[in-house]
Amino acid sequence: MARLNSVIGALESGQHAFAAFAAPEPAAALDFATSDYDGLVFEAEHKPWDATTLRDSLQYLLNRRRIFESGTLAPSPTPLIRIPVNGAEHGQWHAKQALDLGAYGIVWPHISRVEEARNAVAACRYPRLPGEERYDPPGLRGDAPAAAARYWGLSNDEYYAKADVWPLAPDGEILVVIQIEDQLGIENLPAILEQVPGIGLILIGEGDLSQELGVPRQLDHPLMVEARSRIVKICHDHDVVVGHPHVTPGNVEQVLEEGYRFLMSAPVRSYPGLELGRKLTGRS
């Protein structure tokens, strides 16, 4: 069976993966349903968590013609969900509900310690007995696969075979993304990557990191440049993909040169008819 998670597919083949944040709302899902992004992160950390609306958003992201023409069951783009709870809160139920709705991955904000990262991966895995292959981190996810299997277009048994975390499970289709958003997280990142298998990629949390450094949203400040460089080096030293959350036409070449492979860019909505009309009528 072909790879179902397009983000994983791009990364494991050595390519770059492209994604964006979107509100967990059906209208936003429709806007992205025909885009060329590999992945779409429904943002539920700073947007309201509403499992029913999130379920509907996942459905509206599906485009039947694109799926038919692709010849695979893979949605395009692949839906991931950033959940509300911070790493220190050791939340598991948001991840459980998001995965049970059919999400292909979870973005975990504010991971600062090894035990937080271990919990993040464990919450995305089904339990197995000690001694079994790829036992660690031991799974904590509860068993209710029906809705997710239907969304993926699989039987329950087929879903079980795919519903593990990549790259720990080579055939796994679930992506665990942890965000490093403070100095403690940077200090502990080497230990996190050495002690916690199953992390798919590291995403830098620039907003909160800049707040802690006293330079809020000054993303080009030398303190921010230095902090990002530390994270990127640690990830490269441990052969783990690192992602940039604010890719723009002005910085994309630099982002690529610095070694980021998961690039998040915000789409820009334009109104050319309105703008030209206002100019011609003297309104602008």
Side-chain angles (χ1 to χ4, degrees):
M1 183 179 296
R3 174 65 75 186
L4 299 177
N5 189 319
S6 297
V7 176
I8 292 176
L11 295 178
E12 72 178 351
S13 63
Q15 298 177 320
H16 294 79
F18 296 87
F21 279 116
E25 300 168 354
L30 280 173
D31 286 340
F32 283 91
T34 56
S35 72
D36 291 328
Y37 285 104
D38 299 297
L40 181 65
V41 179
F42 285 115
E43 156 60 338
E45 181 191 8
H46 296 289
K47 302 291 185 182
W49 174 269
D50 184 324
T52 301
T53 303
L54 182 58
R55 178 198 63 193
D56 293 345
S57 301
L58 289 169
Q59 295 296 328
Y60 276 97
L61 189 63
L62 298 178
N63 183 291
R64 293 173 64 188
R65 177 168 288 278
R66 293 191 84 185
I67 293 173
F68 174 76
E69 291 177 347
S70 72
T72 77
L73 291 170
S76 179
T78 298
L80 314 174
I81 298 172
R82 180 160 76 169
I83 57 176
V85 292
N86 291 340
E89 298 173 79
H90 276 214
Q92 297 163 11
W93 70 273
H94 286 106
K96 175 172 60 179
Q97 288 198 358
L99 293 172
D100 285 352
L101 289 173
Y104 285 80
I106 304 296
V107 179
W108 293 82
H110 291 281
I111 298 292
S112 303
R113 299 172 175 84
V114 170
E115 58 269 26
E116 296 167 7
R118 184 173 296 278
N119 175 76
V121 176
C124 295
R125 308 189 73 204
Y126 287 121
R128 64 190 68 195
L129 291 172
E132 292 288 327
E133 185 180 12
R134 298 190 294 270
Y135 169 74
D136 188 55
L140 297 171
R141 181 183 174 187
D143 178 56
R150 179 185 180 278
Y151 188 79
W152 286 22
L154 306 178
S155 68
N156 282 4
D157 286 343
E158 289 171 332
Y159 179 78
Y160 285 139
K162 296 288 186 180
D164 203 353
V165 298
W166 176 90
L168 176 60
D171 294 330
E173 298 283 2
I174 292 176
L175 185 66
V176 177
V177 181
I178 69 170
Q179 287 199 263
I180 300 299
E181 308 195 61
D182 56 28
Q183 294 298 303
L184 181 60
I186 297 175
E187 293 298 327
N188 287 329
L189 186 55
I192 288 172
L193 297 181
E194 291 163 8
Q195 298 178 33
V196 184
I199 296 170
L201 68 90
I202 301 298
L203 181 63
I204 297 175
E206 290 190 306
D208 289 274
L209 185 56
S210 67
Q211 287 284 355
E212 184 188 53
L213 292 172
V215 290
R217 291 286 167 175
Q218 299 176 48
L219 303 184
D220 293 325
H221 192 282
L223 290 175
M224 282 297 297
V225 172
E226 193 272 338
R228 285 196 304 265
S229 297
R230 290 173 62 197
I231 295 172
V232 170
K233 184 179 186 307
I234 293 168
C235 290
H236 288 175
D237 287 346
H238 291 81
D239 197 24
V240 174
V241 174
V242 60
H244 194 293
H246 297 120
V247 177
T248 69
N251 70 6
V252 63
E253 291 187 6
Q254 180 180 349
V255 167
L256 292 171
E257 290 173 0
E258 291 175 355
Y260 295 90
R261 289 185 54 216
F262 182 75
L263 281 64
M264 302 194 72
S265 61
V268 177
R269 189 184 295 274
S270 63
Y271 305 91
L274 172 63
E275 293 166 2
L276 181 57
R278 285 176 60 87
K279 180 179 179 180
L280 293 176
T281 57
R283 291 284 309 279
S284 61

